[in-house]
């Protein structure tokens, strides 16, 4: 079984981006991202409604990172340290050498290849540093943009589950994608 250790926190870098740990100074950006219904449209989680909830989210991320059960990065550009998105591994399954990746991005940065670039680096970290054998992504079937990102990074569609999740009084379908280490390019 895998054992994860995110101490010291692994800051990552790409051609255009820095992936770093969230801090309490990012509270306004976290609030802007997680309170935006357009950004959260396909993420079945409650909207954050104030700075206190945003700070609580950051503290929760810190706690899960410190306990090596989740890792989450703030996405920033190299020109500006302002958080424009988040990406990370959630629902880690160390006994199966598998973890689920998730991400979100401010709408003004959509369509610029930012998530694809960040995801490529996070995939590399997952396989090379964490020792994962497979990475999964679970998306809403209507999230065409996310599907394009996953296919671009060589994920394959594994399953379509009808009414898989229940959130705010409704059932939602989910599509599972995966990438095996041997298929990573």
């Amino acid at each position: 079984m895998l054992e994860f250790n995110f101490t010291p926190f692994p800051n990552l870098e790409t051609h255009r981006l820095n992936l770093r740990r969230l801090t309490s100074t990012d509270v306004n950006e976290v609030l802007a991202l997680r309170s935006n219904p357009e950004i959260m449209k396909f993420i079945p989680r409650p909207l954050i409604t104030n700075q206190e909830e945003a700070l609580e989210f950051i503290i929760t991320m810190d706690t899960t990172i410190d306990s090596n059960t989740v890792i989450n990065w703030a996405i920033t550009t190299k020109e500006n340290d302002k958080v424009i998105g988040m990406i990370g591994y959630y629902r880690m399954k160390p006994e199966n050498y598998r973890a689920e990746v998730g991400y979100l991005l401010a709408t003004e940065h959509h369509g610029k290849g930012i998530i694809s670039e960040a995801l490529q680096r996070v995939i590399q970290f997952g396989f090379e540093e964490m020792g994962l054998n497979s990475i999964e992504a679970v998306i809403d079937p209507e999230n065409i943009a996310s599907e394009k990102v996953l296919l671009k990074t060589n994920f394959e569609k594994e399953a379509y589950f009808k009414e898989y999740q229940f959130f705010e009084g409704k059932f939602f379908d989910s599509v599972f994608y995966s990438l095996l280490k041997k298929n990573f390019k």
Side-chain angles (χ1 to χ4, degrees):
M1 182 164 79
L2 289 177
E3 290 188 22
F4 304 119
N5 184 356
F6 304 126
T7 304
F9 185 83
N11 292 309
L12 306 178
E13 192 176 317
T14 71
H15 178 67
R16 299 180 293 166
L17 307 171
N18 287 320
L19 307 178
R20 63 162 175 81
R21 193 169 186 157
L22 283 170
T23 70
S24 59
T25 60
D26 300 318
V27 69
N28 290 328
E29 289 82 8
V30 169
L31 176 59
L33 289 166
R34 296 288 308 254
S35 68
N36 185 322
E38 183 63 25
I39 294 171
M40 297 295 291
K41 177 169 47 176
F42 299 117
I43 302 172
R45 301 282 179 274
L47 293 177
I48 288 177
T49 60
N50 56 51
Q51 283 188 328
E52 291 76 26
E53 290 176 1
L55 186 57
E56 187 177 311
F57 174 84
I58 293 168
I59 291 167
T60 298
M61 285 296 107
D62 272 344
T63 302
T64 58
I65 290 166
D66 290 342
S67 67
N68 302 306
T69 55
V70 164
I71 185 161
N72 183 64
W73 289 271
I75 302 171
T76 68
T77 65
K78 289 196 172 174
E79 293 79 34
N80 187 337
D81 195 45
K82 179 181 173 189
V83 176
I84 60 169
M86 291 180 271
I87 189 167
Y89 287 113
Y90 313 92
R91 294 189 192 106
M92 305 228 272
K93 302 167 189 161
E95 68 280 7
N96 295 319
Y97 294 74
R98 189 172 178 103
E100 178 184 339
V101 69
Y103 42 80
L104 58 79
L105 186 68
T107 52
E108 63 268 23
H109 296 283
H110 287 186
K112 298 177 182 176
I114 289 172
I115 287 297
S116 295
E117 187 174 326
L119 181 58
Q120 190 73 18
R121 182 63 184 97
V122 167
I123 291 168
Q124 179 184 15
F125 179 83
F127 289 142
E128 294 177 4
E129 304 299 323
M130 292 172 61
L132 298 174
N133 182 61
S134 62
I135 298 169
E136 67 184 38
V138 181
I139 66 168
D140 184 300
E142 295 180 16
N143 192 344
I144 304 304
S146 190
E147 179 186 44
K148 286 180 182 177
V149 166
L150 294 171
L151 295 174
K152 182 178 178 179
T153 49
N154 297 315
F155 278 75
E156 294 180 16
K157 186 176 180 178
E158 281 191 337
Y160 187 116
F161 291 99
K162 294 183 178 187
E163 299 184 1
Y164 183 75
Q165 294 186 65
F166 186 76
F167 179 68
E168 292 186 339
K170 294 185 241 170
F171 289 99
F172 293 89
D173 295 355
S174 294
V175 184
F176 283 62
Y177 289 80
S178 74
L179 177 63
L180 298 177
K181 183 177 183 175
K182 66 183 178 184
N183 296 333
F184 178 60
K185 298 173 185 172

